Amino acid sequence: MSIEASARAWAHQHGLQSSRLVTGAYRWISLVRYRNAWEADVPFRGAVFSIGRDLSLYPAVRNGGFESVEMDAFLPRVPDDALVWDVGANVGIYAVLLSRAAPKGRVVAFEPVPESRARLSANLEKNHAENVTVEPVALSNHSGTARMTVHPEAHGCDQISLSPADDGVEVETATGDRFASRYGDPDVIKVDIEGHEPEFLEGCWDMLERRKPLLMLEVNPTTWSTPQRYATWADTLGRLLTLYSEADWIDAVSSTRVSSVAVGELAPHTAYTMILPAVDGRPGPSQGLRPHE
């Protein structure tokens, strides 16, 4: 891990990312440091990416430390023939790396925000990721539409609003079970959708119970604004751990094996990652219909 990445991890571990002074200084330093580089391609893990002026993503990818602990724990477990869902694909960092982890399989990348999806498609082409299909929808617990709050300088923080009165971009929503019917049950799922993970899981719970895929999801208390959301997350994580029995729990600097999570004890300004291993130990090749076959 680079010095800069280590400093970022230390700041997260001590809750400094919640300080307006620290975040303001970080924003100013990044804007100055990368002022002539935002549109330059960024090499990362053997691939190359166009990211743009995204303060939530560009600096971390540029310094090589973006989710390094998570990727090291997750990517080696992906079978080379897997059907993979990348839910919340953003500009395609994971989609590209997953396409390489599963060269004999297929990745379905879900990204509803037009600007992010344009960069996603460009990055797939740039990296010759021909086994990736892009779906322009947000996976949720219903089919229809939703309002998505978009952050022009931090698309990694774009999120579906749970309040219908909020401004934002209107996006199409669908359930994961609908896409399981289209593509087949996925062997692997990565989901990072800024607090909307419980709704995504509700919309594909039948598939989860049936398939129990390798599943990596973000658990980010920063996005939980009410006691009801804490209760929703407590129920969601409890159901997942009942289904899977145990998971790898990753914070900014370390990983542990857990069989339960006390959401009330989580640091409110720290994002965590949970990796639930496929119950059969290793996902096998999916038998579902693939596009282009």
Side-chain angles (χ1 to χ4, degrees), residues 255-270:
S255 174
T256 57
R257 183 61 61 92
V258 299
S259 57
S260 64
V261 176
V263 299
E265 299 176 5
L266 299 179
H269 299 291
T270 297

Side-chain angles (χ1 to χ4, degrees), residues 55-114:
L55 296 174
S56 68
L57 186 61
Y58 184 97
V61 176
R62 175 74 178 263
N63 70 43
F66 174 67
E67 299 193 359
S68 57
V69 176
E70 294 89 334
M71 288 187 176
D72 288 345
F74 179 61
L75 292 175
R77 303 186 193 186
V78 177
D80 64 1
D81 55 2
L83 173 60
V84 185
W85 287 4
D86 182 1
V87 183
N90 197 6
V91 301
I93 306 295
Y94 270 95
V96 168
L97 298 179
L98 286 166
S99 77
R100 295 184 174 191
K104 300 176 184 177
R106 176 154 296 279
V107 178
V108 184
F110 298 88
E111 179 49 56
V113 178

Side-chain angles (χ1 to χ4, degrees), residues 10-284:
W10 183 88
H12 277 269
Q13 190 176 24
H14 291 81
L16 295 182
Q17 75 276 19
S18 63
S19 164
R20 290 187 178 182
L21 179 62
V22 171
T23 55
Y26 173 78
R27 180 180 184 279
W28 183 84
I29 291 171
S30 295
L31 289 174
V32 172
R33 180 179 181 184
Y34 302 118
R35 62 188 180 278
N36 296 319
W38 295 112
E39 294 303 325
D41 287 345
V42 181
F44 182 71
R45 291 193 171 230
V48 62
F49 297 94
S50 169
I51 297 172
R53 185 167 147 167
D54 188 327
L55 296 174
S56 68
L57 186 61
Y58 184 97
V61 176
R62 175 74 178 263
N63 70 43
F66 174 67
E67 299 193 359
S68 57
V69 176
E70 294 89 334
M71 288 187 176
D72 288 345
F74 179 61
L75 292 175
R77 303 186 193 186
V78 177
D80 64 1
D81 55 2
L83 173 60
V84 185
W85 287 4
D86 182 1
V87 183
N90 197 6
V91 301
I93 306 295
Y94 270 95
V96 168
L97 298 179
L98 286 166
S99 77
R100 295 184 174 191
K104 300 176 184 177
R106 176 154 296 279
V107 178
V108 184
F110 298 88
E111 179 49 56
V113 178
E115 183 178 346
S116 298
R117 192 167 62 250
R119 287 194 185 271
L120 164 64
S121 297
N123 284 325
L124 295 175
E125 183 176 0
K126 192 187 303 287
N127 289 282
H128 308 290
E130 297 178 356
N131 61 336
V132 181
T133 299
V134 177
E135 292 286 357
V137 300
L139 293 189
S140 186
N141 57 357
H142 70 283
S143 294
T145 61
R147 306 299 295 182
M148 175 163 279
T149 303
V150 174
H151 304 272
E153 290 187 345
H155 280 295
C157 300
D158 294 348
Q159 62 189 128
I160 288 180
S161 173
L162 296 177
S163 172
D166 284 355
D167 293 331
V169 175
E170 185 174 86
V171 299
E172 180 186 354
T173 62
T175 65
D177 282 335
R178 167 183 155 188
F179 282 92
S181 297
R182 177 180 302 180
Y183 291 103
D185 292 347
D187 306 305
V188 179
I189 300 174
K190 165 260 171 185
V191 53
D192 180 354
I193 48 178
E194 299 302 307
H196 202 68
E197 288 83 0
E199 286 70 29
F200 158 70
L201 294 169
E202 182 183 347
C204 64
W205 195 259
D206 288 346
M207 176 274 292
L208 290 176
E209 288 189 318
R210 181 173 62 245
R211 181 66 184 89
K212 300 182 183 67
L214 171 64
L215 171 63
M216 183 175 87
L217 76 157
E218 183 185 61
V219 181
N220 187 357
T222 304
T223 65
W224 308 349
S225 57
T226 66
Q228 289 79 7
R229 289 308 287 172
Y230 274 83
T232 295
W233 270 95
D235 178 68
T236 297
L237 296 181
R239 292 178 70 193
L240 281 174
L241 286 168
T242 297
L243 183 63
Y244 281 85
S245 298
E246 60 183 8
D248 292 331
W249 183 258
I250 302 172
D251 60 21
V253 294
S254 63
S255 174
T256 57
R257 183 61 61 92
V258 299
S259 57
S260 64
V261 176
V263 299
E265 299 176 5
L266 299 179
H269 299 291
T270 297
Y272 303 88
T273 297
M274 175 180 276
I275 300 177
L276 298 117
V279 171
D280 62 1
R282 178 188 184 277

